[in-house]
Amino acid sequence: MEGVSDASLSPLSVLPSADRPDVAARLREALLAAAFTADGLLDLLGAPAYAALARGETVPALRATRGDTPLETLVRLFLLQQPVPYARVEDFLPVHACVESGWLARAGTDEVTATVDVRPYGGPDGEDWFIVSDLGCAVGGAGGIGSRDERVVLGVGGASTTLAGITVRTPVSAALDLGTGSGIQALHAARHATRVTATDLNPRALHITALTLVLSGAPAASLREGSLFDPLRGDETYDLIVSNPPFVISPGARLTYRDGGMGGDDLCRSLVQGAGERLNEGGFAQFLANWQHVEGEDWQDRLRSWVPRGCDAWIVQREVQDVTQYAELWLRDAGDHRGDQTEYQARYDAWLDEFEARKVKAVGFGWITLRRTTAAEPVVTVEEWPHPVEQPLGDTVRAHFERLDYLRAHDDAALLGGHFRLAREIVQEQVGMPGAEDPEHVVLRQHRGMRRATKVDTVGAGFAGVCDGTLSAGRILDAIAQLVGEDPVLLRDRTPAQIRLLVEQGFLEPAQ
């Protein structure tokens, strides 16, 4: 991919060449030698300054890097965008080659500056990766620094890491990162996919993705420019599709990195609906998305209508904001609150006008996972879960769909003949008045994955407690019936629904 050098990109910086893997390899080696890694930064800066840097606050990191070590110098150069002496970095960087290939630029006669932000990022298995982004836009929203240019490319924010954490990580032949941005999802996919394709409407993002991959020592991806599925050939299908799209519901498409450019939540809907025909059998498509809560319409029904035919789906709403909170969030993301107040108020008003015209009362945010299936009746689960979860959740997502397959293949009689184990780290809580002989209700609570809690009756609690895979569900219920003096036939009739729920939510796991 040729280096971006068109002067029309000003005020965005000219990007380094992606066609010099030799220089990128030498730069990577030098960064690692200086401990310019996620762990190295934490050790140097300390937890408070490191956390502040992740929020885009640089003052604590500036105070922590007033020395002259290679690591301190690299932090000032690549993370804090400070000019540093040419002679100083010459001691530990291939500085001449970096200037020649565009990673660094001369500043005056005796200093150099970085042309891009280079941020250490720890991979899931301890890999030392580097995420490239535009200057001042490494984390979160652009916050007004450079964000007024629609071509700006952000680094890793909370949404990026959320998607990376929920993605199913099984070995696959082909993966697609749709709307790649700085390339973080493509970088993760390269660990377990033979072939990775990354697309983006913004050619600058594709160039930065190439830089992220080469500087991280990852295999190159097939980079294609275009919107949604347009860059794909007619017969291309994938085992994994991931996308952290520009899902913000806004009046217009002012900022490419976040605004969808379609009316309302149409971009997210189009993305989800179009993914089905691009998935191989058993393949997953996983997205972050926003969706409208429209007056007089059930938001769950709205999302069910998005799911393409031939796909199971698991949709989790993590957060809901009213329209004023939502508009304020994204106006601040763009730094509009720091500018002219008349202009800020006009933009705020335009946002509320847009929502009013569409009868939108709130906006939801969450995860959408599809899985291609041959089942005659696909299962679509739409739920609200705003509570804390344990990332990474990829294995939890995969297990959810495996349990769907199990339940779909087992009627109540087969379920009673099955063997189950209580999942790991499940605790039982009994709730009732102090001194009462019996609890008002019993709650099973997970301490892993989704960290769900569910209310069960005494039979359900007793059943779950003895599930260790040795006895069938039916035999366990017969024993419970004898203990409580209940008709075993009636207990067998009424309990499968509770067992099915405990399996569906991951409290019980099929033992064979």
Side-chain angles (χ1 to χ4, degrees), residues 231-291:
L232 306 185
R233 294 187 293 272
D235 59 347
E236 282 186 286
T237 54
Y238 295 86
D239 306 298
L240 174 67
I241 299 173
V242 293
S243 184
N244 176 19
F247 53 67
V248 176
I249 300 170
S250 62
R254 186 162 59 106
L255 302 175
T256 301
Y257 73 85
R258 68 164 207 195
D259 297 330
M262 296 184 184
D265 52 16
D266 284 353
L267 181 134
C268 291
R269 176 185 54 79
S270 298
L271 181 61
V272 174
Q273 289 180 338
E277 64 183 8
R278 293 294 181 176
L279 279 178
N280 293 325
E281 188 61 41
F284 287 91
Q286 298 186 262
F287 316 101
L288 300 185
N290 274 175
W291 44 79

Side-chain angles (χ1 to χ4, degrees), residues 81-102:
Q81 281 85 60
Q82 301 293 306
V84 300
Y86 186 103
R88 177 70 191 102
V89 293
E90 197 172 22
D91 292 341
F92 50 85
L93 282 184
V95 63
H96 177 74
C98 286
V99 170
E100 185 181 50
S101 60

Side-chain angles (χ1 to χ4, degrees), residues 117 145 177 303 309 469:
D117 188 296
I145 305 174
D177 176 13
L303 290 172
R309 296 182 62 182

Side-chain angles (χ1 to χ4, degrees), residues 152-448:
V152 71
V153 179
L154 303 189
V156 178
S160 301
T161 55
T162 294
L163 179 59
I166 67 172
T167 299
V168 176
R169 300 294 177 193
T170 53
V172 295
S173 296
L176 170 65
D177 176 13
L178 197 153
T180 187
S182 60
I184 179 60
Q185 309 305 329
L187 184 56
H188 275 278
R191 294 177 59 252
H192 61 102
T194 304
R195 174 173 58 89
V196 177
T197 300
T199 71
D200 206 288
L201 184 63
N202 182 2
R204 188 175 181 88
L206 296 175
H207 189 101
I208 284 181
T209 291
L211 298 175
T212 290
L213 293 173
V214 70
L215 192 58
S216 297
S222 173
L223 305 178
R224 305 185 194 175
E225 181 181 346
S227 176
L228 298 179
F229 298 99
D230 291 348
L232 306 185
R233 294 187 293 272
D235 59 347
E236 282 186 286
T237 54
Y238 295 86
D239 306 298
L240 174 67
I241 299 173
V242 293
S243 184
N244 176 19
F247 53 67
V248 176
I249 300 170
S250 62
R254 186 162 59 106
L255 302 175
T256 301
Y257 73 85
R258 68 164 207 195
D259 297 330
M262 296 184 184
D265 52 16
D266 284 353
L267 181 134
C268 291
R269 176 185 54 79
S270 298
L271 181 61
V272 174
Q273 289 180 338
E277 64 183 8
R278 293 294 181 176
L279 279 178
N280 293 325
E281 188 61 41
F284 287 91
Q286 298 186 262
F287 316 101
L288 300 185
N290 274 175
W291 44 79
Q292 297 173 153
H293 286 228
V294 179
E295 186 177 340
E297 178 184 67
D298 186 294
W299 67 271
Q300 294 180 322
D301 289 343
R302 182 182 189 85
L303 290 172
R304 287 189 185 95
S305 73
W306 290 9
V307 178
R309 296 182 62 182
C311 288
D312 292 322
W314 184 21
I315 302 173
V316 182
Q317 181 167 272
R318 296 286 291 155
E319 184 180 359
V320 181
Q321 292 182 314
D322 67 47
V323 292
T324 60
Q325 292 173 312
Y326 189 81
E328 290 163 14
L329 170 67
W330 294 110
L331 287 166
R332 287 180 175 274
D333 170 83
D336 291 328
H337 62 299
R338 297 183 183 139
D340 179 81
Q341 282 302 297
T342 301
E343 184 177 355
Y344 170 80
Q345 291 173 3
R347 283 181 171 156
Y348 196 153
D349 207 33
W351 224 304
L352 297 184
D353 282 344
E354 179 84 1
F355 285 136
E356 184 177 348
R358 294 179 177 277
K359 298 183 178 180
V360 176
K361 57 184 180 180
V363 177
F365 167 81
W367 319 324
I368 298 176
T369 299
L370 308 177
R371 186 191 59 167
R372 192 76 184 173
T373 181
T374 56
E377 296 184 11
V379 176
V380 177
T381 302
V382 184
E383 62 175 316
E384 185 166 18
W385 189 254
H387 311 294
V389 298
E390 181 193 47
Q391 285 276 32
L393 278 168
D395 287 345
T396 299
V397 173
R398 176 186 49 77
H400 169 87
F401 288 93
E402 290 176 350
R403 293 193 301 270
L404 283 187
D405 289 339
Y406 178 89
L407 292 172
R408 193 156 39 200
H410 290 73
D411 59 16
D412 286 355
L415 202 66
L416 291 174
H419 294 241
F420 301 94
R421 289 192 183 93
L422 189 66
R424 290 186 300 159
E425 298 192 30
I426 304 293
V427 298
Q428 176 178 303
E429 301 173 357
Q430 296 184 348
V431 181
M433 294 297 293
E437 183 175 345
D438 296 314
E440 292 180 14
H441 58 264
V442 178
V443 173
L444 299 182
R445 188 178 301 276
Q446 300 169 349
H447 284 270
R448 304 290 300 272

